[in-house]
């Protein structure tokens, strides 16, 4: 427990908008500058098994919510500190564990009651949430550029009509929770009753709707499936500043178009083929050496190779293709100098070495099908775009495809920065902002930041704890006190007097109607944080509480470490 607590204390200084950054240096002198809790813990060499659980905790929070990784670790460390005090007083670990589970459930209920419903079409509210997430990053001064990009990117890929399963609510009065993005298709009807369209409008407007009619089959889409961040591709290019970061209207490829033999670098009215076969002479399945001593036979081999390549290119040209994206091959050269020469003669723009991981994204964007054999290359498998051109970006070149016909629900973001360290941190920060917007799609509620929810939950848990008896009351009180580590650390990292600030914050929250008062680190005082537009998704806070409590309960249950062979 002490090892895990020490690790949590190590990253406490990174919490909040005024938190410090960590410089992480690897064994081969690779440097990373960040204050993202998950990145710091992931790159640290942690050997103690209990401390490793905190690393996994931060990873879990990163997967579940994408933000709040530092908060969840600090919270876990504070809970462990309180548990050590309870154990020294002779309280049994099982009693502490059970009481903390109950306290966590109650805390999540309190947070839910504090939450502000969000309309997913309210772009300004989404930008405020993304700006709050970016406020604690190294690139916080560029939040006015990155936050709108994150919001627009997620809203563009949002799939509101993705049916993934069928549910039936046969019993009258079944609770149907629509706040998690459940949507009904209007083309289906009640059995001998009202149209589903009526229920749909009710469900979207109300937190919970009781369906009175029985025998209803519902097609619904889970909101977790409505946003897939793999549909957003972030391309990092050095040169320029973070202000130059933009969301590209089309597709960008981190590859140069081939200029061999004077091939084209710009094509209008492009017909694009994505191929997975090689335009090069075939090789034997096994490593064999063929010795040719006759010059006539050598000429014959070269002629056959040339005829083979010309045959492939004729079939490609006959399909109408004038832009060729070639997947990188690990077995042999995907394209040779000879094939590039003939492709240039055919006026086909060639982009080589497309990564295997990018094939699915490109196919989805261009609405084209990857072709594994030249005989399968037909006009219906081609993508269409107004322009494909090789453009300069800093010191490098990239291929930009614009004016794509029937473009898929994907987004390409070009992330710029002055050096590698800045670009990597901008990429991580933008990913966190994207995750925040995804959280708001999953659970459409906002809560205020600035330590206000933690103090409010602490106060209400304290009142609830006084209604309990025995050791449960003591453990719930300890849980409530542990939550105050968040406002305490925020004040400490901002250079304020933490004891004075937290005491004043408690007094504010003791009065009814002051639930939104928190620490304003810019002004160094207590203000209504909602008026300052410092908001965060409810899911980030509830996920952090649940995961931190779960981790503490797991550690509490361990009474010994036994080395094994």
């Amino acid at each position: 427990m002490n090892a895990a607590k020490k690790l949590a204390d190590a990253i406490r200084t990174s919490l909040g908008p005024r938190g410090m950054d960590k410089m992480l240096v690897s064994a081969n002198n690779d440097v990373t500058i960040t204050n993202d809790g998950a990145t710091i813990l992931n790159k640290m060499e942690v050997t103690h098994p209990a401390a490793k659980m905190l690393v996994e905790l931060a990873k879990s929070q990163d997967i579940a919510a994408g933000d709040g990784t530092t908060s969840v670790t600090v919270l876990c460390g504070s809970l462990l500190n309180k548990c050590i005090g309870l154990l020294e007083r002779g309280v049994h670990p099982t009693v502490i564990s059970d009481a903390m589970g109950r306290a966590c459930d109650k805390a999540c209920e309190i947070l839910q009651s504090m939450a502000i419903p969000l309309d997913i079409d309210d772009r300004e509210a989404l930008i405020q949430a993304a700006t709050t997430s970016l406020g604690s990053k190294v690139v916080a001064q560029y939040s006015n550029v990155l936050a709108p990009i994150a919001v627009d990117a997620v809203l563009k890929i949002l799939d509101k009509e993705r049916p993934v399963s069928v549910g039936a609510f046969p019993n009258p009065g079944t609770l149907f929770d629509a706040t998690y993005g459940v949507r009904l298709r209007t083309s289906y009807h009640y059995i001998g009753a009202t149209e589903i369209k009526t229920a749909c409008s009710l469900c979207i407007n109300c937190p919970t709707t009781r369906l009175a009619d029985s025998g209803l089959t519902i097609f619904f889409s889970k909101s977790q499936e409505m946003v897939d961040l793999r549909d957003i591709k972030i391309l990092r290019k050095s040169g320029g500043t973070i202000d130059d970061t933009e969301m590209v209207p089309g597709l960008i490829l981190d590859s140069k178009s081939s200029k061999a033999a004077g091939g084209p670098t710009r094509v209008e009215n492009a017909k694009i083929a994505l191929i997975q076969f090689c335009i090069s002479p075939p090789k034997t399945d096994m490593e064999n050496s063929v010795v040719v001593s006759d010059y006539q036979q050598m000429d014959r081999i070269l002629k056959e190779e040339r005829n083979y390549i010309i045959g492939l290119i004729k079939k490609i040209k006959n399909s109408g293709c004038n832009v060729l994206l070639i997947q990188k091959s690990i077995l042999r050269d995907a394209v040779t100098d000879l094939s590039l020469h003939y492709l240039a003669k055919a006026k086909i723009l060639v982009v080589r070495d497309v990564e295997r991981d990018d094939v699915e994204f490109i196919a989805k964007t261009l609405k084209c099908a990857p072709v594994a054999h030249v005989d399968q290359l037909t006009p219906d498998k081609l993508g269409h775009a107004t322009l494909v051109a090789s453009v300069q970006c800093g010191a490098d070149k990239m291929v930009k495809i614009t004016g794509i016909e029937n473009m898929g629900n994907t987004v390409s973001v070009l992330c710029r920065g002055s050096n590698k360290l800045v670009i990597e941190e901008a990429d991580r920060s933008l990913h966190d902002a994207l995750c925040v917007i995804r959280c708001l799609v999953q659970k459409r509620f906002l809560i205020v930041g600035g330590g206000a929810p933690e103090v409010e939950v602490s106060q209400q848990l304290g009142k609830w704890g006084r209604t309990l008896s025995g050791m449960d009351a003591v453990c719930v009180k300890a849980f409530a006190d542990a939550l105050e580590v968040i406002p305490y650390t925020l004040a400490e990292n901002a250079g304020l007097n933490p004891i004075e600030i937290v005491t004043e914050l408690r007094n504010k929250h003791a009065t009814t109607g002051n639930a939104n008062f928190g620490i304003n680190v810019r002004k160094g005082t207590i203000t209504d944080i909602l008026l300052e537009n410092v908001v965060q998704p409810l899911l980030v806070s509830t996920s952090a509480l649940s995961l931190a409590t779960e981790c503490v309960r797991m550690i509490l249950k361990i009474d010994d470490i036994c080395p094994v062979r």
Side-chain angles (χ1 to χ4, degrees):
M1 288 176 78
N2 282 311
K5 190 169 77 69
K6 293 284 184 188
L7 185 63
D9 290 340
I11 66 165
R12 255 186 70 177
T13 54
S14 300
L15 184 69
R18 296 292 172 88
M20 306 300 287
D21 303 326
K22 305 286 185 192
M23 179 180 280
L24 310 171
V25 185
S26 66
N28 56 354
N29 286 330
D30 281 343
V31 177
T32 304
I33 299 173
T34 184
N35 63 358
D36 180 57
T39 307
I40 295 167
L41 289 172
N42 196 33
K43 290 186 178 287
M44 285 174 72
E45 289 186 13
V46 181
T47 53
H48 195 283
K52 280 183 179 178
M53 292 176 73
L54 254 68
V55 178
E56 296 302 319
L57 170 67
K59 284 182 184 176
S60 300
Q61 175 71 5
D62 200 30
I63 292 166
D67 197 22
T69 50
T70 309
S71 300
V72 74
T73 313
V74 170
L75 195 56
C76 185
S78 179
L79 287 169
L80 285 171
N81 191 34
K82 293 295 180 184
C83 288
I84 290 169
L86 291 170
L87 290 170
E88 287 173 353
R89 290 166 63 181
V91 185
H92 195 274
T94 306
V95 175
I96 302 172
S97 174
D98 293 343
M100 288 209 164
R102 291 176 62 193
C104 177
D105 293 340
K106 183 68 176 175
C108 290
E109 286 178 22
I110 296 165
L111 284 172
Q112 183 75 46
S113 66
M114 288 177 63
I116 306 156
L118 171 76
D119 180 6
I120 203 67
D121 297 322
D122 187 355
R123 185 170 177 270
E124 288 304 314
L126 294 173
I127 289 175
Q128 287 165 11
T131 304
T132 303
S133 169
L134 293 165
S136 61
K137 309 294 180 187
V138 178
V139 294
Q141 65 267 36
Y142 297 104
S143 56
N144 61 325
V145 176
L146 298 178
I149 289 174
V151 172
D152 293 340
V154 173
L155 290 180
K156 186 167 187 277
I157 67 166
L158 182 62
D159 187 359
K160 295 181 180 178
E161 298 293 338
R162 185 182 294 182
V164 293
S165 57
V166 178
F169 295 88
N171 300 321
T174 303
L175 275 176
F176 174 58
D177 196 344
T179 59
Y180 295 87
V182 179
R183 283 180 172 268
L184 298 179
R185 285 192 159 191
T186 56
S187 55
Y188 294 89
H189 299 267
Y190 284 97
I191 297 173
T194 323
E195 288 187 356
I196 282 184
K197 183 162 49 176
T198 314
C200 185
S201 61
L202 284 171
C203 293
I204 289 170
N205 294 331
C206 304
T208 49
T209 301
R210 293 188 181 277
L211 298 179
D213 293 323
S214 60
L216 170 65
T217 301
I218 300 171
F219 286 75
F220 64 92
S221 64
K222 293 179 182 175
S223 53
Q224 287 89 336
E225 305 294 328
M226 290 171 70
V227 176
D228 187 354
L229 293 185
R230 288 174 297 183
D231 292 339
I232 300 174
K233 182 185 177 186
I234 301 175
L235 182 63
R236 301 184 291 197
K237 285 288 182 183
S238 58
T241 64
I242 298 175
D243 280 325
D244 299 326
T245 300
E246 60 174 336
M247 193 167 83
V248 179
L251 177 66
I252 45 176
L253 300 173
D254 192 15
S255 307
K256 292 182 284 189
S257 61
S258 178
K259 288 185 178 178
T265 57
R266 177 187 173 92
V267 173
E268 294 182 359
N269 297 321
K271 296 175 183 176
I272 306 160
L274 177 59
I275 65 169
Q276 295 177 305
F277 57 87
C278 299
I279 310 177
S280 59
K283 286 186 177 181
T284 54
D285 292 337
M286 298 173 64
E287 285 293 333
N288 292 327
S289 297
V290 180
V291 179
V292 182
S293 55
D294 187 355
Y295 286 113
Q296 288 182 342
Q297 295 297 326
M298 193 175 290
D299 286 343
R300 187 179 168 192
I301 290 171
L302 292 173
K303 186 178 180 181
E304 286 298 324
E305 284 185 356
R306 189 163 59 249
N307 291 338
Y308 176 80
I309 290 169
I310 290 171
L312 286 177
I313 294 171
K314 279 183 178 177
K315 288 180 179 178
I316 292 169
K317 188 67 178 175
N318 290 338
S319 70
C321 166
N322 56 10
V323 175
L324 203 58
L325 309 181
I326 306 174
Q327 181 180 308
K328 184 186 285 187
S329 174
I330 57 172
L331 299 175
R332 57 191 171 113
D333 293 333
V335 65
T336 62
D337 290 339
L338 183 63
S339 54
L340 285 173
H341 169 75
Y342 286 115
L343 284 166
K345 278 192 168 185
K347 302 297 180 187
I348 296 175
L349 187 149
V350 180
V351 180
R352 295 189 289 178
D353 297 338
V354 173
E355 294 291 342
R356 188 180 296 269
D357 296 339
D358 294 337
V359 168
E360 185 182 348
F361 180 85
I362 293 169
K364 188 172 183 179
T365 304
L366 297 175
K367 290 290 178 72
C368 64
V371 180
H373 195 273
V374 68
D375 293 336
Q376 298 170 350
L377 187 57
T378 53
D380 61 298
K381 292 185 179 176
L382 302 179
H384 297 80
T386 307
L387 177 66
V388 177
S390 178
V391 295
Q392 191 76 29
C393 183
D396 299 324
K397 283 196 170 183
M398 64 180 188
V399 174
K400 192 172 183 180
I401 303 172
T402 53
I404 300 168
E405 287 183 19
N406 301 320
M407 183 175 168
N409 278 351
T410 61
V411 174
S412 297
V413 177
L414 179 61
C415 188
R416 306 292 301 278
S418 56
N419 57 59
K420 181 185 172 186
L421 297 176
V422 173
I423 295 171
E424 286 177 352
E425 183 60 17
D427 186 2
R428 282 190 292 269
S429 303
L430 187 56
H431 178 264
D432 282 0
L434 291 169
C435 289
V436 163
I437 307 303
R438 184 186 65 182
C439 285
L440 290 171
V441 172
Q442 290 178 16
K443 203 168 187 178
R444 299 176 186 184
F445 286 98
L446 287 168
I447 57 169
V448 294
E454 286 80 12
V455 175
E456 181 66 20
V457 170
S458 177
Q459 294 276 314
Q460 293 200 33
L461 274 182
K463 290 178 185 175
W464 179 65
R466 287 193 286 273
T467 64
L468 304 175
S469 59
M471 280 300 156
D472 280 357
V474 177
C475 295
V476 168
K477 178 69 169 66
F479 187 95
D481 292 343
L483 295 178
E484 291 186 350
V485 72
I486 301 293
Y488 187 95
T489 308
L490 284 173
E492 195 174 42
N493 291 347
L496 308 173
N497 185 339
I499 298 173
E500 183 183 325
I501 289 289
V502 173
T503 306
E504 187 182 344
L505 202 52
R506 277 194 204 131
N507 291 337
K508 278 284 184 187
H509 281 261
T511 309
T512 307
N514 289 341
N516 292 333
F517 273 77
I519 302 167
N520 188 331
V521 293
R522 295 187 186 89
K523 297 178 181 176
T525 182
I526 307 290
T527 58
D528 190 333
I529 294 297
L530 187 59
L531 299 179
E532 302 289 336
N533 293 328
V534 178
V535 288
Q536 63 188 32
L538 173 64
L539 186 61
V540 171
S541 295
T542 53
S543 171
L545 264 177
S546 303
L547 290 172
T549 308
E550 186 181 322
C551 183
V552 169
R553 293 182 71 183
M554 198 180 294
I555 294 173
L556 271 173
K557 292 282 188 178
I558 301 167
D559 68 345
D560 203 356
I561 297 175
C562 307
V564 293
R565 286 181 293 179

